[in-house]
Amino acid sequence: GTILDTLKEKNVPAAFFCTVDEMKSDPESIVRMINEGHIVGNHTENHPSMDELSRTEMMQEIKAFDDYIRTNYGYSSPYFRFPKGEYSDCALDLVGSLGYMSVFWSLAYADWDINNQKGASYAHDTVVSRIHPGAVILLHAVSSDNAEALGDIIDTVRGMGYEFRSLD
């Protein structure tokens, strides 16, 4: 809830790319994301390496997510993020043919390892040092550093003259 609280307080729109397991394990947060105007994007059912799957298997991963979020939340979005950023020309083509826009990031760091967190100031300084016009910032919600640093990151980046915009 810390991340959603910060985004609400700072009036910043975000996109959350989730798997079906993540939606099942924290339905209250999914409802809150949708109700507070954030995007909940398709990140597949099981987080596979899409470049290793057949077209049919890729389609099943994407469709299972969409079926679940439509059935349980009455919601759908046109955004897709490849698990681990792993894709192929075939995978990009399939995602597009299903009506999705593939979302990639231009700013990220190794924040997903919960056993190797480096502190909120490291998270803040790393993101701020890499900020650039049009940046799509990828932050993993499992990172305690990101949750703790998010408010300061938003304030610092805004102080540099940037504004936060929705993928829409």
Side-chain angles (χ1 to χ4, degrees), residues 42-63 80-92 94-95 98 102:
N42 192 323
H43 199 43
T44 70
E45 180 179 23
N46 299 301
H47 206 267
S49 296
M50 296 289 277
D51 57 337
E52 296 171 3
L53 302 183
S54 71
R55 245 181 118 86
T56 303
E57 290 167 330
M58 286 190 283
M59 189 191 77
Q60 288 166 339
E61 281 286 335
I62 294 167
K63 188 174 183 319
F80 177 82
R81 186 165 86 75
F82 284 94
K84 298 170 273 195
E86 295 173 352
Y87 66 96
S88 62
D89 288 343
C90 173
L92 278 171
L94 173 78
V95 169
L98 293 174
S102 295

Side-chain angles (χ1 to χ4, degrees), residues 12-15 39 135 158 163-168:
V12 170
I39 290 164
R158 278 185 169 150
E163 62 178 330
F164 291 88
R165 308 278 299 271
S166 167
L167 286 176
D168 290 337

